Amino acid sequence: MDQVVEINIQGLSKVYKLNKKQMQESHTKNPKKTAVDDLSLTARQGEIYGLLGPNGAGKTTTLRCIATIIKPTAGQVYVNGHEVQKEPEEVRKCIGFLTSDIKLDPQFSVDYMFDFFGELRGLPRQKIKERKKELFDYFQIGDFAHKKIKELSTGMKQKAAIAVSLVHDPEIIIFDEPTNGLDIITARSVTDYLRKLRDDGKLVIVSTHIMSEAEKLCDRIGIIIDGKKTAEGTLKELLEATGAGDLEDAFFEYYKAAKGEA
Amino acid sequence: MKTIYKKELARIFKDKKMIFSVFFLPVLLMVGIMALVGSLSKSEMEKIQEHKSIVYMINQPDSFAQFMEAADFNISVKDIATDAEFENAKTKLRDGDADLIIEFPDNFDQVIASYQEGQDVPQIKTYYNPSEDYSSSAYETISTQGLEAYRQILLSQRIGDLNGIQIFTVNTDNPDMVVQDDQKASGKALGMMLPYFITILLFAGAMGLGVDMVAGEKERGTMASLLVTQVKRKSIVLGKVFALMTLSGISSVIYIVVMGVSFPKILGGDSGLNFEVTVEQIVMIGVLLVAIAFLYSSIIVLISVFAKDTKEASTYITPAYMVVLVIGLMTMFTTKDAGTMEYMIPFYNTALALKGILVNEVTMAQYGITLGVTLVLGAVLTVAIAKAFESEKVMNM
């Protein structure tokens, strides 16, 4: 592909309309909820970009907009130069998207699901076979490949889901809380693989609320609070800007500032 | 589309339990229920036939007692002499402990024998309880048929030659009285039932599967995994609709074959249908069934798309099922020949056409219109489903 591998978000906003029940649940009389508020960022090839923020900050919504699962209320999102609303299929072709809400059909084996998504992605049989060997070997899926998804443990399911989401060897990998609910060993193998993908020249964008993970994994971090991007930079830049000793302290500086302003 | 289609079929065919529950369990249940109902009603009939009717008589004349003996009715007669006994017998009748009370006037034989022209004729009163099977049966055989035969005997005693007052008979010896096209008659009977069965089989067969295929996938979060691939929404929708069509088609074929084989056996002997179908009819019905399966599948998928979960989908689909069923059933009660305009009405036209094909009364134009309307409506719904797939709100995103 001659285009640059890049995610470019310009002034993204996502506003949800709440129904009465949702308004009651969130104790508000405002029927509109702004999940993402005028957010802009650029993530480039060969880096792991981390969206860091508390629960409900708008991380997942942002990732979903990039993955064309939901439509932005305002602003543009370009993935490899393709605008998500104008060319959603082109966008979907070059991304691998994983979130805890997206699940594999529990009725089928990992093996079947891998082949199925390979075919859906339009890969030739031989290519599917090669990708399967590579990913199954790395994540040690071979032992349970023939088992139905519903028979697998959480860790195994997550490994299978990661493998399936990467079947088409996408240039851009979007993972929402990739290590959520995983034991330390599985989590490590996932983060190691994300590093490998970056080293292979992919663009990886993840969301997390785990400070230590962001610190170790991400090349650049965007801090999101209440749908707004409040800071962006490498770990070093963020620490320097706040004078904090670690990311957690730096995050709280930004958090206090954002809440103070509000 | 092919991949989605294959996967939806694999979901059923890879799982022995699913194959059994989707294709065979409903058939087995139906056959089992029919067999049970058949054998129960048969044994009930036998029981009624074997039952010795308990008949209370008031003023029973000798001539009737002789008649009953000669006619060999399976009854036990008890005489009533007083009003108290009569009331007691009525109570027993109400409780199901007696089957019939026959009340003759006093001196019935003498009144009959001394009858003069112009006199009042005596009245025999019978009492029965229609909510008791034994009583109903006793009323039918003794009060209706038995007393009629008894009257004929008394009449012949009075008149001598009954032919003298009979003047003429109607069809007492005319085995050829029914002049009809057997083919058309059977076709008509079949044509009344077929639309009803087709609707039940195709719709009910697809209901559970369709709900699981779409609402179930939404509920499980597996639909989103399809939506993040570059596959066109239209292809996902068509793959699912066609898979549903195929599955409901297979299940109805199994149903029809099993029913065809087992029905006459269950009901005991000939079903009374004397029918031969031509290849042309089979092809016409077959093509129409494919179109109907497409329409029904798209209805079910459309409803499932808008439902939040499988429970909600099932709730919405049942009324739709009823509506389709009732519209199809309406053809059962229309006697006049349908005009071409009526073949424009969806659901109604398919029932009309199925009936029309079986009695050889549908024109090619009417058949074509039916097919066209059904396919176009199915296609419109499919487009609507694909549009719904684009909506993040509908897809619970």
Side-chain angles (χ1 to χ4, degrees):
Chain A
M1 190 172 282
D2 49 357
Q3 280 156 327
V4 238
V5 175
E6 182 185 80
I7 292 174
N8 182 5
I9 302 177
Q10 297 171 4
L12 171 69
S13 292
K14 178 69 188 175
V15 180
Y16 287 106
K17 278 188 194 137
L18 301 183
N19 60 31
K20 274 190 186 157
K21 196 178 161 201
Q22 287 166 327
M23 277 159 68
Q24 268 175 1
E25 277 169 4
S26 43
H27 307 287
T28 173
K29 285 187 177 167
N30 186 358
K32 286 183 178 175
K33 182 178 183 284
T34 305
V36 180
D37 190 1
D38 195 20
L39 183 137
S40 300
L41 67 84
T42 303
R44 296 180 195 91
Q45 184 169 20
E47 74 172 350
I48 299 179
Y49 188 100
L51 287 176
L52 182 68
N55 291 335
K59 306 184 297 287
T60 303
T61 306
T62 306
L63 295 186
R64 285 167 156 251
C65 285
I66 302 173
T68 76
I69 296 264
I70 55 176
K71 290 177 183 139
T73 312
Q76 282 85 41
V77 179
Y78 293 94
V79 176
N80 284 3
H82 304 290
E83 212 286 319
V84 290
Q85 295 205 69
K86 290 183 187 138
E87 302 172 281
E89 274 142 28
E90 288 303 316
V91 173
R92 283 180 216 133
K93 256 184 214 175
C94 50
I95 60 167
F97 181 53
L98 188 74
T99 142
S100 56
D101 303 337
I102 295 186
K103 295 192 180 76
L104 297 175
D105 204 322
Q107 247 351 80
F108 291 98
S109 67
V110 186
D111 224 9
Y112 186 92
M113 276 287 111
F114 194 87
D115 292 345
F116 172 68
F117 279 98
E119 269 186 61
L120 278 188
R121 293 285 190 179
L123 301 183
R125 243 164 235 287
Q126 186 56 33
K127 180 77 182 165
I128 297 176
K129 219 173 146 186
E130 283 166 26
R131 290 292 294 160
K132 190 189 277 183
K133 179 155 182 15
E134 186 189 333
L135 290 163
F136 280 24
D137 282 355
Y138 184 86
F139 288 108
Q140 296 165 323
I141 290 173
D143 302 339
F144 57 86
H146 61 282
K147 278 195 179 173
K148 284 186 180 170
I149 308 280
K150 64 179 173 192
E151 294 163 358
L152 304 181
S153 68
T154 314
M156 288 172 174
K157 273 185 196 156
Q158 182 76 342
K159 283 179 175 179
I162 292 173
V164 167
S165 69
L166 298 175
V167 56
H168 56 306
D169 199 8
E171 290 159 325
I172 296 177
I173 294 99
I174 307 168
F175 277 8
D176 184 21
E177 314 248 352
T179 58
N180 214 4
L182 297 184
D183 67 72
I184 189 161
I185 298 162
T186 317
R188 183 58 180 256
S189 74
V190 171
T191 49
D192 281 350
Y193 196 73
L194 291 179
R195 282 192 195 95
K196 177 187 173 308
L197 289 170
R198 174 201 52 201
D199 297 341
D200 290 345
K202 314 275 184 194
L203 160 56
V204 179
I205 180 163
V206 296
S207 74
T208 182
H209 60 269
I210 306 167
M211 300 297 157
S212 57
E213 186 173 280
E215 229 168 18
K216 284 184 190 163
L217 182 66
C218 301
D219 299 312
R220 282 198 305 143
I221 296 165
I223 294 178
I224 300 189
I225 294 163
D226 292 339
K228 289 193 177 82
K229 188 177 84 178
T230 50
E232 185 182 54
T234 61
L235 176 64
K236 200 175 152 210
E237 284 164 1
L238 293 174
L239 295 182
E240 275 173 11
T242 52
D246 60 17
L247 184 60
E248 190 174 320
D249 291 343
F251 174 79
F252 272 103
E253 288 301 320
Y254 286 114
Y255 187 76
K256 272 189 282 184
K259 288 289 176 187
E261 276 168 26
Chain B
M1 188 187 97
K2 215 175 104 195
T3 314
I4 307 260
Y5 176 80
K6 267 183 359 203
K7 184 198 140 209
E8 293 301 341
L9 292 191
R11 177 202 297 285
I12 308 297
F13 288 112
K14 278 199 162 196
D15 190 337
K16 283 190 193 115
K17 267 191 236 156
M18 281 295 256
I19 296 181
F20 180 74
S21 68
V22 169
F23 297 123
F24 295 106
L25 191 61
V27 181
L28 284 178
L29 278 178
M30 192 60 153
V31 171
I33 290 169
M34 296 302 292
L36 191 68
V37 169
S39 79
L40 279 180
S41 70
K42 208 167 139 192
S43 80
E44 187 65 13
M45 296 243 290
E46 282 167 4
K47 242 164 84 185
I48 290 173
Q49 272 167 8
E50 281 166 17
H51 173 73
K52 194 166 199 162
S53 302
I54 302 163
V55 182
Y56 284 82
M57 300 269 196
I58 304 170
N59 302 325
Q60 183 183 199
D62 293 341
S63 61
F64 189 67
Q66 285 161 13
F67 163 74
M68 291 299 276
E69 215 178 293
D72 199 21
F73 282 114
N74 186 19
I75 61 169
S76 129
V77 176
K78 291 179 181 167
D79 285 317
I80 294 176
T82 62
D83 282 352
E85 280 178 356
F86 182 39
E87 285 310 315
N88 187 24
K90 273 189 179 170
T91 310
K92 283 189 170 171
L93 193 58
R94 204 170 285 125
D95 296 345
D97 297 330
D99 300 320
L100 189 68
I101 303 173
I102 305 179
E103 181 188 0
F104 288 89
D106 262 350
N107 302 318
F108 182 77
D109 278 343
Q110 283 89 325
V111 174
I112 296 293
S114 61
Y115 173 79
Q116 299 286 318
E117 244 176 77
Q119 277 181 349
D120 284 346
V121 290
Q123 181 189 189
I124 302 171
K125 292 179 180 170
T126 61
Y127 306 85
Y128 82 113
N129 180 351
S131 49
E132 292 288 338
D133 288 341
Y134 290 155
S135 182
S136 292
S137 158
Y139 174 77
E140 180 63 27
T141 50
I142 302 165
S143 177
T144 311
Q145 295 164 15
L147 284 178
E148 180 56 30
Y150 177 55
R151 195 212 325 256
Q152 295 289 329
I153 290 170
L154 297 184
L155 200 59
S156 68
Q157 280 170 8
R158 183 180 292 171
I159 308 281
D161 181 11
L162 277 183
N163 286 342
I165 56 160
Q166 200 149 19
I167 320 280
F168 62 80
T169 67
V170 178
N171 283 332
T172 38
D173 182 25
N174 177 17
D176 304 325
M177 63 188 263
V178 176
V179 182
Q180 69 170 356
D181 181 351
D182 275 355
Q183 178 82 6
K184 198 168 159 178
S186 301
K188 200 165 178 180
L190 207 60
M192 275 177 85
M193 295 186 297
L194 197 69
Y196 176 69
F197 277 116
I198 293 294
T199 310
I200 293 186
L201 294 181
L202 286 181
F203 209 105
M207 252 161 63
L209 292 173
V211 165
D212 186 70
M213 234 176 237
V214 181
E217 286 234 40
K218 275 164 77 172
E219 198 176 297
R220 290 192 293 268
T222 51
M223 185 66 92
S225 61
L226 290 178
L227 298 180
V228 289
T229 65
Q230 68 260 40
V231 180
K232 288 198 166 59
R233 307 301 196 229
K234 202 174 66 198
S235 306
I236 301 178
V237 172
L238 284 180
K240 282 180 182 286
V241 171
F242 287 152
L244 191 54
M245 254 173 84
T246 311
L247 292 170
S248 68
I250 296 173
S251 90
S252 20
V253 166
I254 294 178
Y255 225 96
I256 288 170
V257 169
V258 173
M259 291 299 240
V261 172
S262 61
F263 225 73
K265 280 187 191 144
I266 292 170
L267 296 178
D270 198 5
S271 59
L273 293 181
N274 176 12
F275 199 63
E276 274 175 28
V277 219
T278 64
V279 177
E280 196 193 340
Q281 280 175 319
I282 292 178
V283 172
M284 281 173 83
I285 292 178
V287 173
L288 189 56
L289 288 189
V290 172
I292 297 174
F294 173 58
L295 178 59
Y296 288 173
S297 300
S298 57
I299 293 173
I300 291 166
V301 173
L302 182 67
I303 293 172
S304 301
V305 169
F306 283 97
K308 280 195 192 70
D309 48 39
T310 48
K311 207 169 136 196
E312 204 178 290
S314 309
T315 317
Y316 292 158
I317 283 175
T318 311
Y321 178 42
M322 294 296 176
V323 170
V324 171
L325 198 61
V326 167
I327 297 176
L329 276 178
M330 272 158 58
T331 52
M332 275 197 182
F333 309 109
T334 50
T335 43
K336 69 179 173 71
D337 284 345
T340 302
M341 282 306 285
E342 280 165 293
Y343 284 89
M344 301 272 196
I345 308 168
F347 310 111
Y348 185 68
N349 60 3
T350 49
L352 274 184
L354 283 173
K355 196 167 149 187
I357 294 168
L358 289 171
V359 295
N360 283 324
E361 268 176 2
V362 69
T363 65
M364 263 306 165
Q366 291 168 337
Y367 179 73
I369 291 172
T370 306
L371 210 55
V373 167
T374 308
L375 287 175
V376 167
L377 187 61
V380 168
L381 293 181
T382 309
V383 171
I385 300 165
K387 279 264 171 262
F389 263 61
E390 302 277 356
S391 158
E392 61 188 62
K393 201 165 177 186
V394 171
M395 298 312 286
N396 291 355
M397 291 304 170

